[in-house]
Amino acid sequence: MNKNKKKTTFVVQSAVIAALYAGLTYTAGMMNLAYGSIQFRFSEALTILACISPAAIPGLTIGCFLGNITSPYGIIDILCGTAATFIAAVLSYKTRNVKFKNLPLLSAFFPVIANAIIIGLEITLFMPEGFKLQAFLINALQVGVGELVICYGLGIPLYKVIKKTRLDKMI
């Protein structure tokens, strides 16, 4: 594949991932599942794509930025959520070759940790009573559990389907 075609493929893959992430986040938002300490963003299943293609890093990051435009937490969620997604995507990509039973279980854990800490802190800081350690731990746990359910309950099966159908060869 020549250099220009490779760049174009990377940009297109990133754009498709960003659009899917944003669209799935808006869908979860319509069901009150996308924002707050208890969230089940279907879009977070796509974080596993960072194990398959480096194009997922900008795709997930831009998708999160776009998905958080409608967040009730405003600009702070756009910035914090996007940062959490970027950090998680980079770490997931860096550990993509660490596998258990041929599955990137470690890579799927980085979105859980990044979102639990960053979004848990963000939510706690904007509570009327201000930062309280107990509130942070509860918020982080709630965000983390939701993320864990999506990343492992949807993300790992998505990874299996992509590998089984050999879609990863097209990504």
Side-chain angles (χ1 to χ4, degrees), residues 5 15 17 20-21 24 29-30 39 53-54 65 86 99 107 111 116 118 137 144-145 154-155:
K5 187 174 181 181
I17 292 168
L20 285 169
Y21 186 101
L24 287 169
M30 288 186 280
Q39 53 180 266
S53 172
F65 176 87
F86 174 74
K99 296 190 175 147
S107 295
I118 295 171
L137 294 173
V145 167
L154 296 178

Side-chain angles (χ1 to χ4, degrees), residues 150-166:
I150 297 299
C151 289
Y152 287 89
L154 296 178
I156 294 297
L158 174 63
Y159 179 86
K160 285 179 173 181
V161 167
I162 289 169
K163 287 296 194 175
K164 184 177 181 180
T165 59
R166 303 183 54 86

Side-chain angles (χ1 to χ4, degrees), residues 14-26 34-35 39 41 43-44 46-47 55-71 74-89 111 114-115 118-119 122 147:
S14 294
V16 169
I17 292 168
L20 285 169
Y21 186 101
L24 287 169
T25 299
Y26 295 143
Y35 311 103
Q39 53 180 266
R41 284 187 178 199
S43 50
E44 287 295 302
L46 299 177
T47 60
I57 297 171
L60 294 166
T61 305
I62 292 166
C64 183
F65 176 87
L66 295 171
N68 282 353
I69 288 175
T70 59
S71 170
I75 189 71
I76 195 71
D77 201 24
I78 293 170
L79 298 175
C80 290
T82 302
T85 297
F86 174 74
I87 291 165
N115 281 286
I118 295 171
I119 305 307
E122 171 196 336
E147 194 75 16

